[in-house]
Amino acid sequence: MADIADHRHYPQGVPSWVDLEVPDPASVTDFYGRLFGWEFHEAVPPGAPGSYLIATLDGHDVAAIAPAAASVGRWNTYVACDSADSSAALVRAAGGRVVQDPLDAGPAGRWAECADPDGAVFRLWQARHRLGAQLVNAPGAWNFSVLITPRPADAITFYGEVFGWEVDADLGAGMVRLPGYGDHLAATVDPDIRERQSSAPPGFADVVAGVEARESEPRWEVRFAVQDRDASAEIAEEAGGTVVSRGHDEWTKGALIRDPSGGEFAISQFDPE
């Protein structure tokens, strides 16, 4: 992902959007507003059924919150596709499941819910009017989605067949790239990306997601950038959330947070050693 741009669009195979499904969206808007500075507006027209609260930061769309019948909240990662129907067929052919067949989300786009062979749930997004997140990698915005799985090699084979993803050992463990994405960024929203990343390994501009080997329930973990991990963790607790764990690697300080609905997500502070 690049830094900031209005009207940015995402080519096939690039994670493009995140939303949170909760039993009661109103119960968590104050939490996320205090933690990330988000403001909310209703995307569903007056008189139409349902709700879809778009979260904005500095006027840019960054995420959404929607009602769901589940007892606890869950963050979803959407992957851009040219055709939700064609991509759903590729999911089935590669050994995954289509949990929800493709359907229209009004004029915004068309989506489907899928699961990889190990059960990690993700969604497809065929954009129409709603192109995806318009601000990323800034404090308070979506930074990354990471696949947590006990079988990363098998997972990459699956996602490679569906989206064309690759893992390049030269980029370090867990970096998933989509060949050509850096060229897309350079031609659209981030013309200086090559110069800015001149010291990075070849292919770094193509990174679109992460994968992490862990003996736990396979899932997609959503991560948000913050300026100060510890200060943000304190705000999360004051707003009614729970700090589940903290960690520190050679690049970032992170924490796993549970919001008041039970939805879990991670925060990440760039802090190279």
Side-chain angles (χ1 to χ4, degrees):
M1 299 176 193
D3 291 333
I4 293 178
D6 287 326
H7 310 303
R8 62 181 299 142
H9 64 283
Y10 297 81
Q12 163 115 358
V14 179
S16 60
W17 186 242
V18 291
D19 66 16
L20 171 68
E21 291 183 317
V22 294
D24 178 16
S27 68
V28 295
T29 53
D30 179 70
F31 171 83
Y32 285 101
R34 291 171 63 182
L35 178 59
F36 294 137
W38 291 354
E39 297 180 347
F40 298 91
H41 67 271
E42 180 60 69
V44 176
S51 173
Y52 199 69
L53 295 175
I54 301 296
T56 62
L57 182 64
D58 297 330
H60 304 280
D61 294 354
V62 292
I65 300 179
S71 58
V72 298
R74 186 188 76 181
W75 277 99
N76 301 301
T77 293
Y78 292 73
V79 183
C81 59
D82 297 330
S83 165
D85 297 84
S86 296
S87 292
L90 288 174
V91 167
R92 290 191 177 99
R97 290 185 301 117
V98 178
V99 181
Q100 168 62 62
D101 286 327
L103 73 165
D104 289 330
R110 187 169 174 81
W111 70 283
E113 181 168 290
C114 304
D116 67 25
D118 285 325
V121 174
F122 63 96
R123 290 182 172 176
L124 304 172
W125 182 246
Q126 177 187 338
R128 290 170 182 158
H129 290 333
R130 192 164 297 283
L131 303 177
Q134 297 301 301
L135 174 64
V136 296
N137 295 343
W142 176 38
N143 170 244
F144 217 40
S145 286
V146 177
L147 175 64
I148 309 297
T149 177
R151 301 193 305 161
D154 291 343
I156 290 303
T157 297
F158 167 79
Y159 289 100
E161 293 179 11
V162 177
F163 299 123
W165 290 358
E166 298 178 358
V167 171
D168 191 333
D170 292 338
L171 292 174
M175 295 289 101
V176 178
R177 60 187 291 266
L178 177 67
Y181 184 49
D183 294 334
H184 166 82
L185 293 174
T188 56
V189 298
D190 197 356
D192 300 325
I193 189 170
R194 301 296 186 193
E195 292 76 11
R196 198 176 62 256
Q197 296 184 356
S198 59
S199 61
F204 188 76
D206 293 337
V207 172
V208 296
V211 60
E212 188 175 304
R214 196 184 304 171
E215 290 298 329
S216 64
E217 179 184 358
R219 68 188 187 280
W220 276 96
E221 182 178 273
V222 175
R223 298 180 178 178
F224 297 95
V226 295
Q227 212 152 23
D228 186 318
R229 187 270 313 266
D230 295 326
S232 295
E234 183 176 344
I235 292 171
E237 290 182 320
E238 292 172 350
T242 302
V243 178
V244 179
S245 62
R246 302 182 195 228
H248 191 183
D249 60 27
E250 62 178 321
W251 294 107
T252 61
K253 285 182 178 178
L256 184 65
I257 307 293
R258 183 178 298 126
D259 71 24
S261 77
E264 292 188 349
F265 61 96
I267 56 175
S268 178
Q269 171 192 346
F270 183 60
D271 185 43
E273 291 181 349

Short mmCIF file of all heavy atoms in Angstrom, two decimals, residues 228-263:
data_model
loop_
_atom_site.label_atom_id
_atom_site.label_comp_id
_atom_site.label_asym_id
_atom_site.label_seq_id
_atom_site.Cartn_x
_atom_site.Cartn_y
_atom_site.Cartn_z
N ASP A 228 2.16 5.85 18.71
CA ASP A 228 2.75 5.41 19.97
C ASP A 228 1.97 4.21 20.48
O ASP A 228 0.82 4.36 20.91
CB ASP A 228 2.73 6.56 20.98
CG ASP A 228 3.45 6.25 22.28
OD1 ASP A 228 3.30 5.12 22.80
OD2 ASP A 228 4.15 7.14 22.80
N ARG A 229 2.57 3.03 20.40
CA ARG A 229 1.89 1.79 20.79
C ARG A 229 1.37 1.84 22.22
O ARG A 229 0.21 1.50 22.51
CB ARG A 229 2.85 0.61 20.59
CG ARG A 229 2.26 -0.78 20.79
CD ARG A 229 2.35 -1.33 22.23
NE ARG A 229 3.61 -1.21 22.89
CZ ARG A 229 4.55 -2.17 22.91
NH1 ARG A 229 4.38 -3.28 22.26
NH2 ARG A 229 5.67 -1.98 23.62
N ASP A 230 2.22 2.27 23.15
CA ASP A 230 1.83 2.24 24.56
C ASP A 230 0.75 3.27 24.87
O ASP A 230 -0.19 2.98 25.63
CB ASP A 230 3.05 2.46 25.45
CG ASP A 230 4.06 1.32 25.32
OD1 ASP A 230 3.62 0.16 25.14
OD2 ASP A 230 5.28 1.57 25.40
N ALA A 231 0.85 4.46 24.28
CA ALA A 231 -0.18 5.47 24.50
C ALA A 231 -1.52 5.01 23.92
O ALA A 231 -2.58 5.20 24.54
CB ALA A 231 0.25 6.79 23.88
N SER A 232 -1.49 4.38 22.74
CA SER A 232 -2.71 3.89 22.13
C SER A 232 -3.31 2.74 22.93
O SER A 232 -4.55 2.65 23.08
CB SER A 232 -2.45 3.44 20.69
OG SER A 232 -2.08 4.54 19.89
N ALA A 233 -2.47 1.87 23.46
CA ALA A 233 -2.97 0.77 24.30
C ALA A 233 -3.66 1.32 25.55
O ALA A 233 -4.70 0.80 25.98
CB ALA A 233 -1.82 -0.15 24.68
N GLU A 234 -3.11 2.38 26.10
CA GLU A 234 -3.72 2.99 27.29
C GLU A 234 -5.08 3.59 26.95
O GLU A 234 -6.05 3.44 27.70
CB GLU A 234 -2.80 4.06 27.85
CG GLU A 234 -3.30 4.70 29.13
CD GLU A 234 -2.32 5.69 29.72
OE1 GLU A 234 -1.13 5.67 29.33
OE2 GLU A 234 -2.74 6.50 30.58
N ILE A 235 -5.18 4.26 25.79
CA ILE A 235 -6.46 4.82 25.35
C ILE A 235 -7.48 3.71 25.14
O ILE A 235 -8.65 3.83 25.51
CB ILE A 235 -6.28 5.64 24.07
CG1 ILE A 235 -5.45 6.89 24.34
CG2 ILE A 235 -7.63 6.02 23.46
CD1 ILE A 235 -5.05 7.65 23.09
N ALA A 236 -7.03 2.59 24.54
CA ALA A 236 -7.94 1.47 24.30
C ALA A 236 -8.52 0.95 25.60
O ALA A 236 -9.73 0.66 25.70
CB ALA A 236 -7.20 0.35 23.56
N GLU A 237 -7.70 0.84 26.63
CA GLU A 237 -8.19 0.36 27.92
C GLU A 237 -9.14 1.37 28.55
O GLU A 237 -10.19 0.99 29.11
CB GLU A 237 -7.01 0.07 28.84
CG GLU A 237 -6.20 -1.15 28.41
CD GLU A 237 -5.06 -1.46 29.36
OE1 GLU A 237 -4.41 -0.52 29.85
OE2 GLU A 237 -4.83 -2.66 29.61
N GLU A 238 -8.81 2.64 28.46
CA GLU A 238 -9.68 3.68 29.03
C GLU A 238 -11.03 3.72 28.32
O GLU A 238 -12.05 4.08 28.93
CB GLU A 238 -9.00 5.04 28.93
CG GLU A 238 -7.77 5.19 29.82
CD GLU A 238 -7.03 6.49 29.56
OE1 GLU A 238 -7.36 7.17 28.57
OE2 GLU A 238 -6.10 6.81 30.34
N ALA A 239 -11.05 3.35 27.04
CA ALA A 239 -12.28 3.39 26.26
C ALA A 239 -13.10 2.11 26.38
O ALA A 239 -14.14 1.98 25.71
CB ALA A 239 -11.96 3.65 24.79
N GLY A 240 -12.65 1.16 27.18
CA GLY A 240 -13.41 -0.06 27.41
C GLY A 240 -12.88 -1.29 26.73
O GLY A 240 -13.52 -2.35 26.76
N GLY A 241 -11.71 -1.19 26.08
CA GLY A 241 -11.12 -2.36 25.44
C GLY A 241 -10.14 -3.08 26.35
O GLY A 241 -9.94 -2.70 27.50
N THR A 242 -9.52 -4.12 25.83
CA THR A 242 -8.57 -4.94 26.57
C THR A 242 -7.31 -5.11 25.75
O THR A 242 -7.38 -5.39 24.54
CB THR A 242 -9.17 -6.33 26.87
OG1 THR A 242 -10.38 -6.18 27.59
CG2 THR A 242 -8.20 -7.18 27.68
N VAL A 243 -6.16 -4.93 26.39
CA VAL A 243 -4.89 -5.23 25.73
C VAL A 243 -4.59 -6.71 25.97
O VAL A 243 -4.29 -7.12 27.08
CB VAL A 243 -3.76 -4.34 26.28
CG1 VAL A 243 -2.44 -4.71 25.61
CG2 VAL A 243 -4.08 -2.87 26.04
N VAL A 244 -4.68 -7.50 24.92
CA VAL A 244 -4.51 -8.95 25.03
C VAL A 244 -3.03 -9.31 25.15
O VAL A 244 -2.64 -10.16 25.95
CB VAL A 244 -5.14 -9.66 23.83
CG1 VAL A 244 -4.94 -11.18 23.93
CG2 VAL A 244 -6.62 -9.32 23.73
N SER A 245 -2.19 -8.65 24.36
CA SER A 245 -0.76 -8.94 24.38
C SER A 245 -0.01 -7.79 23.74
O SER A 245 -0.59 -6.96 23.03
CB SER A 245 -0.45 -10.25 23.65
OG SER A 245 -0.82 -10.16 22.28
N ARG A 246 1.31 -7.75 23.98
CA ARG A 246 2.20 -6.78 23.35
C ARG A 246 3.40 -7.52 22.79
O ARG A 246 3.79 -8.56 23.30
CB ARG A 246 2.66 -5.71 24.34
CG ARG A 246 1.53 -4.94 25.00
CD ARG A 246 2.07 -3.87 25.94
NE ARG A 246 1.03 -3.38 26.84
CZ ARG A 246 0.78 -2.11 27.08
NH1 ARG A 246 1.52 -1.18 26.49
NH2 ARG A 246 -0.19 -1.74 27.90
N GLY A 247 4.00 -6.94 21.76
CA GLY A 247 5.19 -7.55 21.17
C GLY A 247 6.06 -6.51 20.52
O GLY A 247 5.66 -5.35 20.34
N HIS A 248 7.30 -6.91 20.17
CA HIS A 248 8.25 -5.99 19.56
C HIS A 248 9.18 -6.81 18.68
O HIS A 248 9.83 -7.74 19.14
CB HIS A 248 9.05 -5.26 20.66
CG HIS A 248 9.85 -4.10 20.15
ND1 HIS A 248 10.69 -3.36 20.96
CD2 HIS A 248 9.94 -3.55 18.91
CE1 HIS A 248 11.26 -2.39 20.25
NE2 HIS A 248 10.82 -2.50 19.00
N ASP A 249 9.21 -6.46 17.37
CA ASP A 249 10.16 -7.12 16.49
C ASP A 249 11.16 -6.08 16.00
O ASP A 249 11.23 -4.97 16.53
CB ASP A 249 9.45 -7.84 15.34
CG ASP A 249 8.63 -6.89 14.46
OD1 ASP A 249 8.97 -5.69 14.39
OD2 ASP A 249 7.65 -7.36 13.84
N GLU A 250 11.95 -6.44 15.00
CA GLU A 250 13.02 -5.53 14.57
C GLU A 250 12.48 -4.27 13.88
O GLU A 250 13.22 -3.31 13.70
CB GLU A 250 13.98 -6.25 13.63
CG GLU A 250 13.35 -6.76 12.35
CD GLU A 250 14.37 -7.43 11.44
OE1 GLU A 250 15.50 -6.93 11.36
OE2 GLU A 250 14.02 -8.46 10.83
N TRP A 251 11.21 -4.26 13.51
CA TRP A 251 10.65 -3.11 12.79
C TRP A 251 9.55 -2.39 13.55
O TRP A 251 9.37 -1.19 13.37
CB TRP A 251 10.09 -3.56 11.43
CG TRP A 251 11.15 -4.04 10.50
CD1 TRP A 251 11.40 -5.33 10.13
CD2 TRP A 251 12.12 -3.24 9.80
NE1 TRP A 251 12.46 -5.40 9.26
CE2 TRP A 251 12.92 -4.12 9.04
CE3 TRP A 251 12.38 -1.88 9.75
CZ2 TRP A 251 13.96 -3.68 8.24
CZ3 TRP A 251 13.43 -1.44 8.94
CH2 TRP A 251 14.19 -2.33 8.20
N THR A 252 8.78 -3.10 14.35
CA THR A 252 7.58 -2.50 14.93
C THR A 252 7.38 -2.90 16.40
O THR A 252 7.86 -3.94 16.85
CB THR A 252 6.32 -2.95 14.17
OG1 THR A 252 6.19 -4.38 14.26
CG2 THR A 252 6.37 -2.53 12.72
N LYS A 253 6.65 -2.02 17.10
CA LYS A 253 6.06 -2.36 18.38
C LYS A 253 4.58 -2.61 18.12
O LYS A 253 3.92 -1.80 17.47
CB LYS A 253 6.19 -1.19 19.37
CG LYS A 253 7.56 -0.97 19.96
CD LYS A 253 7.48 0.20 20.94
CE LYS A 253 8.81 0.45 21.62
NZ LYS A 253 8.71 1.62 22.55
N GLY A 254 4.07 -3.70 18.63
CA GLY A 254 2.67 -4.02 18.37
C GLY A 254 1.93 -4.43 19.61
O GLY A 254 2.51 -4.70 20.67
N ALA A 255 0.61 -4.47 19.48
CA ALA A 255 -0.24 -4.96 20.56
C ALA A 255 -1.51 -5.53 19.94
O ALA A 255 -2.00 -5.01 18.92
CB ALA A 255 -0.58 -3.85 21.54
N LEU A 256 -2.02 -6.59 20.54
CA LEU A 256 -3.31 -7.16 20.16
C LEU A 256 -4.36 -6.59 21.09
O LEU A 256 -4.21 -6.67 22.31
CB LEU A 256 -3.27 -8.68 20.24
CG LEU A 256 -4.53 -9.42 19.77
CD1 LEU A 256 -4.74 -9.21 18.28
CD2 LEU A 256 -4.43 -10.91 20.09
N ILE A 257 -5.40 -6.00 20.50
CA ILE A 257 -6.44 -5.31 21.27
C ILE A 257 -7.77 -6.01 21.06
O ILE A 257 -8.07 -6.46 19.95
CB ILE A 257 -6.56 -3.84 20.83
CG1 ILE A 257 -5.20 -3.13 20.86
CG2 ILE A 257 -7.59 -3.11 21.68
CD1 ILE A 257 -4.62 -2.93 22.23
N ARG A 258 -8.57 -6.08 22.13
CA ARG A 258 -9.95 -6.58 22.02
C ARG A 258 -10.90 -5.42 22.33
O ARG A 258 -10.82 -4.80 23.38
CB ARG A 258 -10.18 -7.73 22.99
CG ARG A 258 -11.57 -8.37 22.89
CD ARG A 258 -11.73 -9.54 23.84
NE ARG A 258 -10.78 -10.60 23.53
CZ ARG A 258 -9.93 -11.13 24.43
NH1 ARG A 258 -9.92 -10.68 25.68
NH2 ARG A 258 -9.10 -12.09 24.06
N ASP A 259 -11.77 -5.10 21.38
CA ASP A 259 -12.68 -3.99 21.57
C ASP A 259 -13.85 -4.39 22.48
O ASP A 259 -13.97 -5.57 22.85
CB ASP A 259 -13.14 -3.42 20.22
CG ASP A 259 -14.10 -4.33 19.46
OD1 ASP A 259 -14.79 -5.16 20.06
OD2 ASP A 259 -14.15 -4.20 18.22
N PRO A 260 -14.75 -3.47 22.85
CA PRO A 260 -15.84 -3.81 23.76
C PRO A 260 -16.80 -4.88 23.23
O PRO A 260 -17.52 -5.50 24.01
CB PRO A 260 -16.57 -2.47 23.95
CG PRO A 260 -15.50 -1.44 23.75
CD PRO A 260 -14.65 -2.01 22.65
N SER A 261 -16.83 -5.10 21.92
CA SER A 261 -17.70 -6.13 21.35
C SER A 261 -17.03 -7.50 21.32
O SER A 261 -17.66 -8.48 20.93
CB SER A 261 -18.11 -5.74 19.92
OG SER A 261 -17.05 -5.97 19.01
N GLY A 262 -15.74 -7.56 21.66
CA GLY A 262 -14.99 -8.80 21.57
C GLY A 262 -14.19 -8.92 20.29
O GLY A 262 -13.44 -9.89 20.11
N GLY A 263 -14.31 -7.97 19.38
CA GLY A 263 -13.55 -7.99 18.14
C GLY A 263 -12.08 -7.71 18.39
O GLY A 263 -11.74 -6.77 19.11
#
